[in-house]
Amino acid sequence: KGGTGKSVVASNLAVLRAQAGERVCLIDFDAGMANAHLLLGLVPKYDLGHVLDGQVSAGFALVDGPAGIKLLSGGVGRAALQNPTPRELDRLFASLAQLEAAFDLIIVDHGAGMGVATVAHIAAAQSLLLVTTHEVTALSDAYALYKHALSVAPDLRTGVVMNRAPDEATARGAWERFEGVARRHVGRVPEYVGRIPLDEAVLRSVQARV
């Protein structure tokens, strides 16, 4: 769901893993509404839209970020990224595939919804991290994506993060509701990764672009 904090989680996760010594690439795939570069205080010359258009390779579009991460920025306001054709996706994936050998971890930060690009990435991913909040609408969207993910990638390792939780009891209660619905309707449940507390420091970080 929009506004659950996916980009904040993805950006900070990328930095933390890089600080631990891994070679990390963050790809902002929020179709047309990219903001990872803003969160990281970067001004990329090229973005995913240029790669989709075939103007540059994915490797050429990378920029250096905090702790040594590499960022492939999303395309702000690029309509083609919201609904790419199969041919465009094939060309884009072929370019992105060249990055795999250069990194220990590639994090793809997706926007809300279940567009064709999101589903295609899920089918190719090794793991999926669902970022949700304790709100009913967010939980509902997270469950819908989990159910759809299982249909295209039955063996996909999936985890759930309860973001912006006011306390442990609220996060646990939300997780138990999610777990109950998943177990009842699809017979499987993802891994509960944990909660991220509500913290005004995040708002200050976004404003400061650090």
Side-chain angles (χ1 to χ4, degrees):
K1 186 179 184 299
T4 59
K6 295 178 295 298
S7 294
V8 170
V9 171
S11 298
N12 282 277
L13 182 61
V15 171
L16 286 169
R17 294 288 290 262
Q19 289 174 338
E22 294 181 86
R23 301 170 300 166
V24 181
C25 178
L26 173 63
I27 301 175
D28 189 348
F29 216 107
D30 193 343
M33 300 290 286
N35 58 17
H37 63 292
L38 297 176
L39 297 175
L40 297 169
L42 303 176
V43 186
K45 182 177 180 181
Y46 299 105
D47 59 40
L48 206 58
H50 295 101
V51 179
L52 182 68
D53 293 341
Q55 298 180 41
V56 297
S57 67
F60 193 80
L62 296 177
V63 294
D64 295 326
I69 73 168
K70 299 289 186 179
L71 171 70
L72 176 51
S73 180
V76 178
R78 288 180 175 268
L81 285 172
Q82 296 177 351
N83 192 28
T85 66
R87 179 175 296 181
E88 288 173 328
L89 265 185
D90 285 344
R91 184 170 65 238
L92 180 61
F93 281 11
S95 185
L96 295 178
Q98 299 172 20
L99 301 177
E100 290 191 38
F103 295 97
D104 301 308
L105 175 67
I106 296 178
I107 298 175
V108 181
D109 175 23
H110 270 285
M114 289 183 285
V116 61
T118 303
V119 174
H121 272 141
I122 286 173
Q126 291 180 315
S127 58
L128 170 67
L129 190 64
L130 291 170
V131 179
T132 185
T133 69
H134 61 280
E135 297 169 357
V136 173
T137 50
L139 290 172
S140 177
D141 282 9
Y143 167 72
L145 181 57
Y146 176 59
K147 183 178 179 180
H148 198 62
L150 290 181
S151 70
V152 297
D155 298 323
L156 184 68
R157 184 184 181 191
T158 305
V160 172
V161 170
M162 289 293 168
N163 195 25
R164 298 208 306 268
D167 51 57
E168 181 67 27
T170 301
R172 276 287 171 184
W175 162 246
E176 289 170 3
R177 292 196 299 275
F178 185 103
E179 180 186 32
V181 171
R183 194 179 301 279
R184 187 163 57 251
H185 292 286
V186 297
R188 291 175 57 182
V189 295
E191 176 184 347
Y192 178 55
V193 178
R195 76 178 179 102
I196 300 174
L198 182 67
D199 191 340
E200 290 187 3
V202 175
L203 300 177
R204 295 195 297 272
S205 170
V206 171
Q207 291 298 320
R209 297 177 63 178
V210 294

